Amino acid sequence: MKTVFRYILIIFSAMIALVTYGNPEGFQVSVTNPVTPNTEVIDFVGENNTGNFVGEPYVDTFEKKVGDEWVDVVGSYLITEAYSEYAPYGGPWKKHILVSQSGIDGPGEYRAVIKFDLRQPFYAKTDCTHHTTYAYFTVIGAE
């Protein structure tokens, strides 16, 4: 019964999304696992509560907090995903990045810069708008 209700909600949300603008602040991404110097993979999960379709989310870069500023860290990971869309209130977006390719260089405060497209209603002059969100996390020392 929950599954049927969920699909009805997704279909209803998709119909509403055809005629409304979404709220980009509704795409929230978080890191789901603790990150230590021994962590091999950083797991991200994003929930689409924008009220519209989110397209092509990807981790663009990582930044480390140095003093009061966010500074880019140089990584070598590749964006290999094909274009994908996530329905409003549908299943989550998931991404896994190898720490060895992220540029993370030890304990501190970090954030992943995530870029995504927010689909516009069919009567809008543009197909989508580009947005940025952040997933904040702290790399803790080895235990």
Side-chain angles (χ1 to χ4, degrees), residues 30-44 62 95-100 102-112 135-143:
S30 60
V31 174
T32 61
N33 58 321
V35 182
T36 71
N38 299 325
T39 300
E40 294 182 15
V41 176
I42 302 172
D43 296 316
F44 297 93
F62 287 91
K95 178 69 179 167
H96 313 286
I97 300 281
L98 294 173
V99 172
S100 62
S102 68
I104 292 172
D105 62 357
E109 291 182 58
Y110 290 86
R111 69 182 182 184
Y136 295 88
F137 61 98
T138 300
V139 176
I140 54 178
E143 297 179 10

Side-chain angles (χ1 to χ4, degrees), residues 5 7 11 27 51-52 54 76 82-83 87 89 96 112 127 130-131 138 140:
F5 180 73
Y7 284 118
I11 291 169
F27 186 62
N52 212 324
V54 166
S76 62
Y83 189 87
Y89 314 108
H96 313 286
D127 190 40
H130 309 291
H131 296 280
T138 300
I140 54 178

Side-chain angles (χ1 to χ4, degrees), residues 39-90:
T39 300
E40 294 182 15
V41 176
I42 302 172
D43 296 316
F44 297 93
V45 65
E47 295 294 329
N48 181 8
N49 296 315
T50 63
N52 212 324
F53 286 88
V54 166
E56 199 174 359
Y58 65 94
V59 177
D60 184 50
T61 188
F62 287 91
E63 298 176 340
K64 183 176 185 178
K65 192 168 190 179
V66 178
D68 290 337
E69 295 186 30
W70 290 99
V71 179
D72 283 341
V73 295
V74 178
S76 62
Y77 58 96
L78 299 173
I79 300 170
T80 58
E81 297 176 29
Y83 189 87
S84 55
E85 285 191 339
Y86 296 86
Y89 314 108

Side-chain angles (χ1 to χ4, degrees), residues 1-34:
M1 187 65 182
K2 283 183 173 181
T3 304
V4 172
F5 180 73
R6 182 172 181 217
Y7 284 118
I8 290 171
L9 180 62
I10 290 170
I11 291 169
F12 180 72
S13 298
M15 289 187 310
I16 295 293
L18 290 173
V19 296
T20 61
Y21 284 93
N23 178 4
E25 293 177 7
F27 186 62
Q28 298 293 318
V29 179
S30 60
V31 174
T32 61
N33 58 321

Side-chain angles (χ1 to χ4, degrees), residues 53 83 85 117-122 124-129:
F53 286 88
Y83 189 87
E85 285 191 339
D117 295 336
L118 185 60
R119 305 301 271 165
Q120 296 299 299
F122 69 90
K125 293 183 182 191
T126 59
D127 190 40
C128 61
T129 55

